[in-house]
Amino acid sequence: MTLTYDIFISYRRDAFESANLFATRLKALGYRVFFDVESMNPGKFNEQLLDVISKCKDFILVLSPNALDRCNDEGDWVLRETMCAMKHKKNIIPIMLSGFVWPTEMPEGMEELCNYQALAPAPNTYYDLQVQRLRGYLKSKAHFQTRKRWLIGLSITIGVLAVIMLIAQLTYMPVAQHVADNLTMQTQCMNDLACISTTLQSEWGKYVDKYKISKKSVEKLELKSLMCKTIQIQERQRDALLKTLKASSISLNGIYLPLFWMHGISPADLLICDTYAESLFDELQSQIDYYNGLLESDEYTQLNMRMAKINSNIIIAYTATYYYGYLQMMTHLPKSTYKMFYEVSPDWHNLPKAGIGWADEEYERQQKILADEAEKEMAQLEMILAYSESELAEQEEKLRQLEEMADEVQKRIDTMGVINAFILQQMQH
Protein backbone atom coordinates (compact mmCIF):
# COMPACT_ATOMS: atom_id res chain seq x y z
CA MET A 1 0.00 0.00 0.00
CA THR A 2 1.38 3.41 -1.01
CA LEU A 3 1.66 5.81 1.89
CA THR A 4 0.12 9.24 1.35
CA TYR A 5 1.57 12.43 2.79
CA ASP A 6 0.03 15.71 3.93
CA ILE A 7 3.15 17.85 4.03
CA PHE A 8 6.13 18.10 1.65
CA ILE A 9 9.33 19.77 2.84
CA SER A 10 11.68 21.28 0.21
CA TYR A 11 15.14 22.53 1.20
CA ARG A 12 18.73 23.10 0.15
CA ARG A 13 21.36 20.74 1.54
CA ASP A 14 22.81 23.50 3.70
CA ALA A 15 19.39 23.74 5.41
CA PHE A 16 19.17 20.01 6.12
CA GLU A 17 19.52 20.31 9.90
CA SER A 18 16.75 22.89 10.19
CA ALA A 19 14.47 21.06 7.76
CA ASN A 20 15.02 17.82 9.64
CA LEU A 21 14.08 19.45 12.95
CA PHE A 22 10.82 20.78 11.49
CA ALA A 23 10.04 17.37 9.97
CA THR A 24 10.77 15.54 13.23
CA ARG A 25 8.60 17.83 15.33
CA LEU A 26 5.68 17.73 12.91
CA LYS A 27 5.78 13.94 12.78
CA ALA A 28 5.80 13.77 16.58
CA LEU A 29 2.64 15.87 16.54
CA GLY A 30 0.90 13.40 14.24
CA TYR A 31 1.41 14.89 10.76
CA ARG A 32 2.37 12.77 7.72
CA VAL A 33 5.48 14.49 6.47
CA PHE A 34 7.48 13.69 3.32
CA PHE A 35 11.19 14.23 3.98
CA ASP A 36 13.16 12.84 1.04
CA VAL A 37 16.05 11.37 3.02
CA GLU A 38 13.82 8.82 4.76
CA SER A 39 10.70 8.87 2.60
CA MET A 40 11.97 7.91 -0.85
CA ASN A 41 11.04 4.53 -2.30
CA PRO A 42 12.96 2.70 -5.02
CA GLY A 43 12.06 4.04 -8.45
CA LYS A 44 12.36 7.20 -10.49
CA PHE A 45 13.41 10.00 -8.16
CA ASN A 46 11.87 12.92 -10.03
CA GLU A 47 8.50 11.20 -10.61
CA GLN A 48 8.16 10.35 -6.94
CA LEU A 49 8.88 13.87 -5.77
CA LEU A 50 6.47 15.57 -8.11
CA ASP A 51 3.78 12.97 -7.48
CA VAL A 52 3.99 13.53 -3.71
CA ILE A 53 3.78 17.29 -4.16
CA SER A 54 0.70 16.99 -6.37
CA LYS A 55 -1.11 14.95 -3.68
CA CYS A 56 -0.09 16.75 -0.47
CA LYS A 57 -1.95 19.68 1.09
CA ASP A 58 0.94 21.74 2.40
CA PHE A 59 4.28 22.61 0.80
CA ILE A 60 6.97 23.90 3.16
CA LEU A 61 9.96 25.61 1.59
CA VAL A 62 12.91 26.01 3.97
CA LEU A 63 14.95 29.01 2.77
CA SER A 64 18.56 29.17 3.86
CA PRO A 65 20.72 32.21 2.91
CA ASN A 66 20.92 32.59 -0.92
CA ALA A 67 18.61 29.59 -1.36
CA LEU A 68 16.97 31.13 -4.45
CA ASP A 69 20.16 32.06 -6.28
CA ARG A 70 20.26 28.80 -8.26
CA CYS A 71 16.56 28.87 -9.17
CA ASN A 72 17.36 30.53 -12.52
CA ASP A 73 18.57 27.10 -13.65
CA GLU A 74 15.64 25.18 -15.12
CA GLY A 75 17.05 21.90 -13.77
CA ASP A 76 17.24 23.12 -10.18
CA TRP A 77 15.13 20.85 -7.94
CA VAL A 78 14.07 23.58 -5.50
CA LEU A 79 12.75 25.48 -8.54
CA ARG A 80 11.00 22.39 -9.96
CA GLU A 81 9.46 21.44 -6.60
CA THR A 82 8.25 24.97 -5.95
CA MET A 83 6.81 25.39 -9.44
CA CYS A 84 4.99 22.06 -9.09
CA ALA A 85 3.45 23.23 -5.79
CA MET A 86 2.39 26.54 -7.34
CA LYS A 87 0.99 24.75 -10.40
CA HIS A 88 -1.22 22.52 -8.19
CA LYS A 89 -2.18 25.45 -5.99
CA LYS A 90 -0.80 23.92 -2.79
CA ASN A 91 -0.68 25.76 0.51
CA ILE A 92 2.89 27.08 0.26
CA ILE A 93 4.62 28.16 3.48
CA PRO A 94 8.13 29.62 3.13
CA ILE A 95 10.28 29.33 6.30
CA MET A 96 13.04 31.90 6.27
CA LEU A 97 16.11 30.86 8.22
CA SER A 98 18.44 33.31 9.88
CA GLY A 99 20.40 35.25 7.22
CA PHE A 100 17.89 34.77 4.39
CA VAL A 101 16.64 37.85 2.51
CA TRP A 102 14.39 37.99 -0.51
CA PRO A 103 16.41 38.77 -3.68
CA THR A 104 15.71 42.08 -5.39
CA GLU A 105 14.88 40.20 -8.59
CA MET A 106 12.97 36.98 -8.06
CA PRO A 107 13.62 33.95 -10.33
CA GLU A 108 11.31 33.66 -13.30
CA GLY A 109 8.02 32.00 -12.35
CA MET A 110 8.62 32.46 -8.61
CA GLU A 111 7.74 36.15 -8.45
CA GLU A 112 4.70 35.51 -6.21
CA LEU A 113 6.61 33.37 -3.71
CA CYS A 114 7.48 36.32 -1.49
CA ASN A 115 3.76 37.14 -1.19
CA TYR A 116 2.91 33.88 0.58
CA GLN A 117 2.43 33.84 4.33
CA ALA A 118 5.89 33.01 5.63
CA LEU A 119 7.69 32.43 8.92
CA ALA A 120 10.22 35.16 9.61
CA PRO A 121 13.80 34.28 10.56
CA ALA A 122 14.28 33.25 14.21
CA PRO A 123 17.21 31.98 16.31
CA ASN A 124 17.75 28.22 16.28
CA THR A 125 16.70 27.98 19.93
CA TYR A 126 13.14 28.99 19.03
CA TYR A 127 12.20 25.95 16.95
CA ASP A 128 9.32 24.95 19.23
CA LEU A 129 7.79 28.42 18.96
CA GLN A 130 8.29 28.35 15.19
CA VAL A 131 6.60 24.95 14.97
CA GLN A 132 3.60 26.26 16.91
CA ARG A 133 3.30 29.21 14.53
CA LEU A 134 3.76 26.88 11.57
CA ARG A 135 0.86 24.69 12.73
CA GLY A 136 -1.39 27.73 12.50
CA TYR A 137 -0.57 28.06 8.79
CA LEU A 138 -1.11 24.39 7.88
CA LYS A 139 -4.23 23.04 6.21
CA SER A 140 -3.33 19.48 7.20
CA LYS A 141 -4.66 17.96 10.42
CA ALA A 142 -2.69 15.78 12.79
CA HIS A 143 -3.64 12.10 12.58
CA PHE A 144 -4.80 10.51 15.81
CA GLN A 145 -3.33 7.12 15.10
CA THR A 146 0.19 8.54 14.94
CA ARG A 147 0.12 9.85 18.50
CA LYS A 148 1.59 6.66 19.84
CA ARG A 149 3.03 8.04 23.05
CA TRP A 150 -0.29 9.53 24.07
CA LEU A 151 -2.11 6.32 23.26
CA ILE A 152 0.44 4.21 25.12
CA GLY A 153 0.17 6.45 28.18
CA LEU A 154 -3.61 6.34 28.06
CA SER A 155 -3.60 2.58 27.62
CA ILE A 156 -1.30 2.13 30.61
CA THR A 157 -3.49 4.40 32.73
CA ILE A 158 -6.64 2.55 31.74
CA GLY A 159 -4.93 -0.75 32.38
CA VAL A 160 -3.80 0.28 35.85
CA LEU A 161 -7.28 1.56 36.70
CA ALA A 162 -8.80 -1.66 35.40
CA VAL A 163 -6.50 -3.75 37.59
CA ILE A 164 -7.30 -1.58 40.62
CA MET A 165 -11.04 -1.86 40.00
CA LEU A 166 -10.74 -5.62 39.48
CA ILE A 167 -8.93 -6.03 42.78
CA ALA A 168 -11.47 -3.78 44.50
CA GLN A 169 -14.36 -5.74 42.95
CA LEU A 170 -12.89 -9.04 44.15
CA THR A 171 -12.65 -7.67 47.68
CA TYR A 172 -16.04 -5.87 47.54
CA MET A 173 -18.00 -8.70 49.16
CA PRO A 174 -16.07 -8.76 52.45
CA VAL A 175 -16.15 -4.95 52.55
CA ALA A 176 -19.90 -4.95 51.85
CA GLN A 177 -20.33 -7.51 54.65
CA HIS A 178 -18.36 -5.22 56.97
CA VAL A 179 -20.65 -2.29 56.11
CA ALA A 180 -23.84 -4.37 56.51
CA ASP A 181 -22.77 -5.72 59.91
CA ASN A 182 -21.72 -2.30 61.19
CA LEU A 183 -24.94 -0.68 59.94
CA THR A 184 -26.83 -3.38 61.83
CA MET A 185 -24.79 -2.80 64.99
CA GLN A 186 -25.30 0.95 64.79
CA THR A 187 -29.03 0.43 64.32
CA GLN A 188 -29.08 -1.84 67.37
CA CYS A 189 -27.41 0.96 69.34
CA MET A 190 -29.98 3.48 68.12
CA ASN A 191 -32.84 1.16 69.09
CA ASP A 192 -31.40 0.73 72.61
CA LEU A 193 -30.82 4.47 72.83
CA ALA A 194 -34.47 5.11 72.00
CA CYS A 195 -35.37 2.59 74.71
CA ILE A 196 -33.32 4.58 77.26
CA SER A 197 -35.07 7.80 76.22
CA THR A 198 -38.59 6.34 76.53
CA THR A 199 -37.70 4.65 79.84
CA LEU A 200 -36.42 7.90 81.28
CA GLN A 201 -39.53 9.74 80.13
CA SER A 202 -41.81 7.10 81.65
CA GLU A 203 -39.93 6.97 84.96
CA TRP A 204 -39.85 10.75 85.11
CA GLY A 205 -43.62 10.97 84.73
CA LYS A 206 -44.14 8.44 87.53
CA TYR A 207 -41.69 10.29 89.77
CA VAL A 208 -43.36 13.67 89.33
CA ASP A 209 -46.83 12.23 89.99
CA LYS A 210 -45.65 10.62 93.25
CA TYR A 211 -43.62 13.66 94.28
CA LYS A 212 -46.56 16.04 93.94
CA ILE A 213 -48.89 13.96 96.16
CA SER A 214 -46.24 13.22 98.76
CA LYS A 215 -46.72 15.21 102.01
CA LYS A 216 -43.63 14.25 103.95
CA SER A 217 -40.20 15.72 103.27
CA VAL A 218 -38.58 12.36 103.95
CA GLU A 219 -40.68 10.71 101.26
CA LYS A 220 -39.83 13.48 98.81
CA LEU A 221 -36.11 13.06 99.45
CA GLU A 222 -36.40 9.30 99.00
CA LEU A 223 -38.29 9.69 95.73
CA LYS A 224 -35.73 12.18 94.46
CA SER A 225 -32.87 9.85 95.41
CA LEU A 226 -34.46 6.94 93.55
CA MET A 227 -34.97 9.12 90.45
CA CYS A 228 -31.33 10.19 90.59
CA LYS A 229 -30.23 6.55 90.66
CA THR A 230 -32.53 5.73 87.74
CA ILE A 231 -30.97 8.53 85.69
CA GLN A 232 -27.47 7.37 86.62
CA ILE A 233 -28.23 3.79 85.57
CA GLN A 234 -29.58 4.92 82.20
CA GLU A 235 -26.61 7.22 81.73
CA ARG A 236 -24.18 4.32 82.30
CA GLN A 237 -26.11 2.28 79.71
CA ARG A 238 -25.80 5.23 77.32
CA ASP A 239 -22.00 5.31 77.81
CA ALA A 240 -21.74 1.56 77.16
CA LEU A 241 -23.78 1.93 73.97
CA LEU A 242 -21.53 4.76 72.82
CA LYS A 243 -18.50 2.48 73.13
CA THR A 244 -20.28 -0.16 71.05
CA LEU A 245 -21.16 2.47 68.45
CA LYS A 246 -17.56 3.66 68.12
CA ALA A 247 -16.41 0.04 67.79
CA SER A 248 -18.78 -0.39 64.83
CA SER A 249 -17.56 2.72 63.00
CA ILE A 250 -17.90 2.51 59.21
CA SER A 251 -14.35 3.34 58.15
CA LEU A 252 -13.51 2.53 54.53
CA ASN A 253 -10.54 2.89 52.22
CA GLY A 254 -11.39 5.50 49.59
CA ILE A 255 -10.77 2.96 46.82
CA TYR A 256 -14.06 1.23 47.67
CA LEU A 257 -16.26 4.34 47.60
CA PRO A 258 -16.71 4.30 43.78
CA LEU A 259 -17.84 0.66 44.05
CA PHE A 260 -20.51 1.54 46.58
CA TRP A 261 -21.56 4.45 44.39
CA MET A 262 -21.87 2.03 41.44
CA HIS A 263 -24.17 -0.10 43.62
CA GLY A 264 -26.44 2.87 44.38
CA ILE A 265 -25.01 3.92 47.77
CA SER A 266 -23.95 7.53 48.14
CA PRO A 267 -20.36 7.71 49.48
CA ALA A 268 -21.29 10.89 51.39
CA ASP A 269 -24.16 9.11 53.19
CA LEU A 270 -21.92 6.15 53.96
CA LEU A 271 -19.15 8.26 55.45
CA ILE A 272 -21.49 10.36 57.60
CA CYS A 273 -23.36 7.42 59.19
CA ASP A 274 -21.19 7.56 62.31
CA THR A 275 -22.01 11.24 62.76
CA TYR A 276 -25.77 10.60 62.50
CA ALA A 277 -25.71 7.94 65.20
CA GLU A 278 -23.42 9.90 67.53
CA SER A 279 -25.68 12.96 67.32
CA LEU A 280 -28.47 10.92 68.96
CA PHE A 281 -26.23 10.30 71.97
CA ASP A 282 -25.74 14.05 72.31
CA GLU A 283 -29.52 14.54 72.22
CA LEU A 284 -29.99 11.92 74.96
CA GLN A 285 -27.34 13.59 77.12
CA SER A 286 -29.25 16.87 76.76
CA GLN A 287 -32.40 15.08 77.94
CA ILE A 288 -30.55 13.67 80.96
CA ASP A 289 -29.07 17.08 81.81
CA TYR A 290 -32.54 18.60 81.65
CA TYR A 291 -33.94 16.04 84.12
CA ASN A 292 -31.03 16.63 86.49
CA GLY A 293 -31.64 20.38 86.32
CA LEU A 294 -35.32 19.92 87.22
CA LEU A 295 -34.37 17.69 90.14
CA GLU A 296 -32.16 20.43 91.57
CA SER A 297 -34.77 23.17 91.14
CA ASP A 298 -37.89 21.15 92.13
CA GLU A 299 -39.75 22.93 89.30
CA TYR A 300 -42.27 20.38 88.06
CA THR A 301 -44.65 22.66 86.18
CA GLN A 302 -46.78 21.58 83.24
CA LEU A 303 -44.48 23.49 80.90
CA ASN A 304 -41.42 21.68 82.20
CA MET A 305 -43.17 18.33 81.84
CA ARG A 306 -44.15 19.20 78.30
CA MET A 307 -40.57 20.17 77.42
CA ALA A 308 -39.26 16.87 78.80
CA LYS A 309 -41.78 14.98 76.66
CA ILE A 310 -40.84 16.96 73.54
CA ASN A 311 -37.14 16.22 74.09
CA SER A 312 -37.92 12.50 74.12
CA ASN A 313 -40.18 12.76 71.05
CA ILE A 314 -37.42 14.50 69.09
CA ILE A 315 -34.95 11.71 69.88
CA ILE A 316 -37.47 9.05 68.78
CA ALA A 317 -38.25 10.93 65.52
CA TYR A 318 -34.62 11.38 64.55
CA THR A 319 -33.82 7.76 65.46
CA ALA A 320 -36.53 6.55 63.09
CA THR A 321 -35.34 8.98 60.37
CA TYR A 322 -31.79 7.65 60.49
CA TYR A 323 -33.14 4.08 60.57
CA TYR A 324 -34.88 4.55 57.22
CA GLY A 325 -31.62 5.95 55.80
CA TYR A 326 -29.73 2.88 57.02
CA LEU A 327 -32.35 0.56 55.53
CA GLN A 328 -32.05 2.36 52.19
CA MET A 329 -28.30 1.70 52.12
CA MET A 330 -28.78 -1.91 53.22
CA THR A 331 -31.17 -2.44 50.31
CA HIS A 332 -28.33 -1.77 47.87
CA LEU A 333 -25.93 -4.21 49.53
CA PRO A 334 -25.77 -7.88 48.44
CA LYS A 335 -28.54 -10.02 49.99
CA SER A 336 -25.93 -12.42 51.30
CA THR A 337 -24.85 -9.71 53.80
CA TYR A 338 -28.25 -9.50 55.59
CA LYS A 339 -27.77 -12.40 58.03
CA MET A 340 -27.05 -10.35 61.16
CA PHE A 341 -29.84 -7.90 60.32
CA TYR A 342 -32.47 -10.65 60.16
CA GLU A 343 -31.20 -12.16 63.41
CA VAL A 344 -31.45 -9.03 65.56
CA SER A 345 -34.04 -6.78 63.88
CA PRO A 346 -37.12 -8.63 65.31
CA ASP A 347 -36.17 -7.21 68.75
CA TRP A 348 -36.14 -3.60 67.59
CA HIS A 349 -39.42 -2.52 69.21
CA ASN A 350 -38.50 1.16 69.34
CA LEU A 351 -38.07 1.49 65.56
CA PRO A 352 -40.68 1.59 62.76
CA LYS A 353 -41.92 -1.69 61.35
CA ALA A 354 -39.96 -1.45 58.11
CA GLY A 355 -37.53 -3.70 56.33
CA ILE A 356 -35.07 -4.08 53.52
CA GLY A 357 -36.22 -3.98 49.92
CA TRP A 358 -38.30 -0.82 49.53
CA ALA A 359 -37.75 1.63 46.68
CA ASP A 360 -35.44 4.56 47.39
CA GLU A 361 -38.35 6.96 46.90
CA GLU A 362 -40.36 5.30 49.69
CA TYR A 363 -37.48 5.41 52.16
CA GLU A 364 -36.94 9.08 51.33
CA ARG A 365 -40.67 9.81 51.71
CA GLN A 366 -40.73 8.22 55.17
CA GLN A 367 -37.62 10.16 56.17
CA LYS A 368 -39.27 13.43 55.13
CA ILE A 369 -42.41 12.64 57.15
CA LEU A 370 -40.38 11.95 60.28
CA ALA A 371 -38.12 14.95 59.74
CA ASP A 372 -41.24 17.15 59.46
CA GLU A 373 -42.55 15.70 62.73
CA ALA A 374 -39.24 16.46 64.43
CA GLU A 375 -39.37 20.01 63.10
CA LYS A 376 -42.87 20.46 64.53
CA GLU A 377 -41.70 19.21 67.92
CA MET A 378 -38.78 21.63 67.75
CA ALA A 379 -41.16 24.48 66.90
CA GLN A 380 -43.31 23.61 69.95
CA LEU A 381 -40.21 23.52 72.13
CA GLU A 382 -39.19 26.96 70.91
CA MET A 383 -42.69 28.29 71.61
CA ILE A 384 -42.56 26.92 75.16
CA LEU A 385 -39.15 28.43 75.72
CA ALA A 386 -40.36 31.77 74.37
CA TYR A 387 -43.43 31.59 76.62
CA SER A 388 -41.28 30.68 79.63
CA GLU A 389 -38.98 33.59 78.96
CA SER A 390 -41.97 35.90 78.59
CA GLU A 391 -43.52 34.59 81.81
CA LEU A 392 -40.20 34.99 83.61
CA ALA A 393 -39.90 38.56 82.37
CA GLU A 394 -43.44 39.25 83.60
CA GLN A 395 -42.68 37.79 87.03
CA GLU A 396 -39.50 39.85 87.23
CA GLU A 397 -41.49 42.99 86.41
CA LYS A 398 -44.03 42.20 89.14
CA LEU A 399 -41.20 41.58 91.60
CA ARG A 400 -39.65 44.91 90.68
CA GLN A 401 -42.98 46.68 91.27
CA LEU A 402 -43.39 44.97 94.63
CA GLU A 403 -39.88 46.03 95.61
CA GLU A 404 -40.72 49.62 94.65
CA MET A 405 -43.91 49.45 96.71
CA ALA A 406 -41.97 48.03 99.67
CA ASP A 407 -39.46 50.87 99.39
CA GLU A 408 -42.30 53.40 99.36
CA VAL A 409 -43.93 51.81 102.40
CA GLN A 410 -40.59 51.80 104.21
CA LYS A 411 -40.14 55.48 103.44
CA ARG A 412 -43.59 56.23 104.88
CA ILE A 413 -42.83 54.18 107.98
CA ASP A 414 -39.58 56.08 108.44
CA THR A 415 -41.41 59.39 108.02
CA MET A 416 -44.08 58.40 110.54
CA GLY A 417 -41.32 57.41 112.98
CA VAL A 418 -39.76 60.85 112.71
CA ILE A 419 -43.14 62.54 113.23
CA ASN A 420 -43.99 60.39 116.24
CA ALA A 421 -40.61 61.11 117.80
CA PHE A 422 -41.16 64.85 117.32
CA ILE A 423 -44.65 64.73 118.86
CA LEU A 424 -43.37 62.73 121.84
CA GLN A 425 -40.62 65.25 122.37
CA GLN A 426 -43.10 68.14 122.37
CA MET A 427 -45.34 66.39 124.84
CA GLN A 428 -42.46 65.88 127.24
CA HIS A 429 -41.78 69.63 127.21
Side-chain angles (χ1 to χ4, degrees):
M1 184 177 68
T2 304
L3 182 65
T4 57
Y5 298 93
D6 299 315
I7 301 172
F8 184 97
I9 297 181
S10 178
Y11 62 96
R12 295 285 183 195
R13 291 304 164 190
D14 59 353
F16 171 78
E17 182 178 350
S18 297
N20 185 46
L21 284 171
F22 280 111
T24 301
R25 282 169 167 75
L26 289 173
K27 288 176 183 179
L29 292 170
Y31 295 94
R32 293 174 180 164
V33 181
F34 182 92
F35 193 61
D36 58 12
V37 170
E38 57 187 24
S39 304
M40 291 298 294
N41 294 319
K44 295 183 178 180
F45 176 77
N46 58 344
E47 292 180 1
Q48 287 187 45
L49 288 179
L50 300 180
D51 183 60
V52 171
I53 294 171
S54 67
K55 294 177 180 178
C56 70
K57 293 181 180 179
D58 298 292
F59 179 86
I60 295 175
L61 177 58
V62 181
L63 297 171
S64 54
N66 305 315
L68 300 181
D69 290 355
R70 284 181 280 164
C71 288
N72 291 315
D73 182 359
E74 293 183 359
D76 181 69
W77 271 105
V78 170
L79 172 65
R80 296 183 63 181
E81 291 168 358
T82 303
M83 295 298 291
C84 180
M86 296 177 72
K87 174 184 175 182
H88 290 92
K89 299 186 182 338
K90 299 302 174 181
N91 180 40
I92 299 175
I93 307 169
I95 298 179
M96 297 181 289
L97 301 183
S98 180
F100 173 82
V101 292
W102 293 106
T104 304
E105 185 176 348
M106 292 290 290
E108 185 178 355
M110 301 180 68
E111 292 85 359
E112 296 298 320
L113 184 63
C114 59
N115 295 325
Y116 286 94
Q117 194 171 34
L119 289 183
N124 293 339
T125 54
Y126 290 95
Y127 272 116
D128 288 334
L129 179 61
Q130 288 286 78
V131 170
Q132 290 301 319
R133 292 178 57 195
L134 174 61
R135 292 184 69 187
Y137 298 159
L138 295 174
K139 289 186 177 180
S140 306
K141 303 296 180 183
H143 295 272
F144 180 80
Q145 61 268 27
T146 62
R147 302 174 186 175
K148 294 181 181 179
R149 291 183 181 177
W150 185 84
L151 283 175
I152 291 172
L154 179 61
S155 299
I156 292 173
T157 302
I158 293 174
V160 170
L161 289 175
V163 171
I164 292 173
M165 291 303 292
L166 177 61
I167 294 172
Q169 186 66 43
L170 291 174
T171 57
Y172 174 69
M173 283 304 300
V175 175
Q177 186 66 63
H178 161 80
V179 171
D181 290 346
N182 283 16
L183 284 175
T184 301
M185 290 297 297
Q186 289 195 9
T187 307
Q188 178 71 55
C189 290
M190 291 193 297
N191 175 77
D192 295 344
L193 193 76
C195 181
I196 293 174
S197 179
T198 54
T199 298
L200 279 172
Q201 176 59 30
S202 175
E203 292 299 319
W204 180 258
K206 295 175 183 178
Y207 158 72
V208 173
D209 291 341
K210 292 178 181 179
Y211 189 87
K212 285 183 176 180
I213 63 175
S214 179
K215 303 299 182 182
K216 298 179 180 180
S217 298
V218 176
E219 285 185 10
K220 288 180 178 291
L221 288 173
E222 186 178 350
L223 287 170
K224 184 177 290 189
S225 177
L226 288 173
M227 190 63 214
C228 283
K229 289 180 181 179
T230 300
I231 292 175
Q232 290 171 1
I233 291 171
Q234 300 301 320
E235 194 166 14
R236 284 196 293 269
Q237 291 183 1
R238 169 200 171 275
D239 293 341
L241 283 176
L242 185 56
K243 290 181 180 178
T244 302
L245 179 73
K246 290 185 178 297
S248 58
S249 173
I250 301 174
S251 55
L252 292 175
N253 191 309
I255 190 175
Y256 297 108
L257 295 180
L259 284 174
F260 283 98
W261 176 77
M262 290 169 60
H263 286 83
I265 300 175
S266 167
D269 291 342
L270 197 60
L271 293 174
I272 206 170
C273 280
D274 298 342
T275 304
Y276 285 147
E278 288 180 14
S279 67
L280 294 175
F281 284 81
D282 294 335
E283 293 290 342
L284 180 60
Q285 188 59 52
S286 297
Q287 184 183 7
I288 291 172
D289 293 341
Y290 185 71
Y291 288 141
N292 286 328
L294 293 180
L295 282 173
E296 291 179 4
S297 64
D298 282 343
E299 294 182 359
Y300 307 130
T301 64
Q302 286 297 111
L303 282 178
N304 287 340
M305 293 294 291
R306 178 59 182 153
M307 287 177 67
K309 179 64 175 175
I310 289 176
N311 281 333
S312 181
N313 290 345
I314 289 173
I315 292 174
I316 300 302
Y318 278 128
T319 300
T321 302
Y322 299 153
Y323 177 51
Y324 279 118
Y326 281 26
L327 288 177
Q328 183 176 357
M329 285 188 281
M330 290 281 288
T331 297
H332 291 279
L333 292 173
K335 293 182 179 179
S336 60
T337 64
Y338 298 166
K339 183 180 178 181
M340 181 185 290
F341 175 85
Y342 287 132
E343 287 177 353
V344 300
S345 59
D347 297 327
W348 294 345
H349 302 302
N350 297 290
L351 297 174
K353 298 299 180 184
I356 301 173
W358 292 3
D360 287 348
E361 292 76 14
E362 181 59 22
Y363 285 122
E364 291 166 4
R365 189 180 72 84
Q366 293 296 333
Q367 284 180 291
K368 186 177 185 308
I369 292 172
L370 290 165
D372 290 344
E373 289 180 5
E375 289 297 326
K376 290 178 182 178
E377 295 285 355
M378 289 291 292
Q380 289 187 40
L381 186 60
E382 290 174 358
M383 288 176 60
I384 292 173
L385 289 172
Y387 177 78
S388 299
E389 291 175 358
S390 175
E391 187 179 34
L392 179 61
E394 185 179 344
Q395 293 297 328
E396 289 177 348
E397 177 62 23
K398 288 181 179 179
L399 180 60
R400 187 188 63 79
Q401 292 177 1
L402 287 173
E403 289 175 348
E404 289 179 353
M405 291 174 63
D407 289 342
E408 184 65 29
V409 170
Q410 186 63 47
K411 288 178 182 178
R412 291 182 181 183
I413 291 173
D414 293 343
T415 302
M416 290 300 296
V418 172
I419 294 172
N420 288 337
F422 177 76
I423 293 172
L424 181 60
Q425 185 182 13
Q426 292 298 319
M427 292 176 64
Q428 288 176 353
H429 288 295

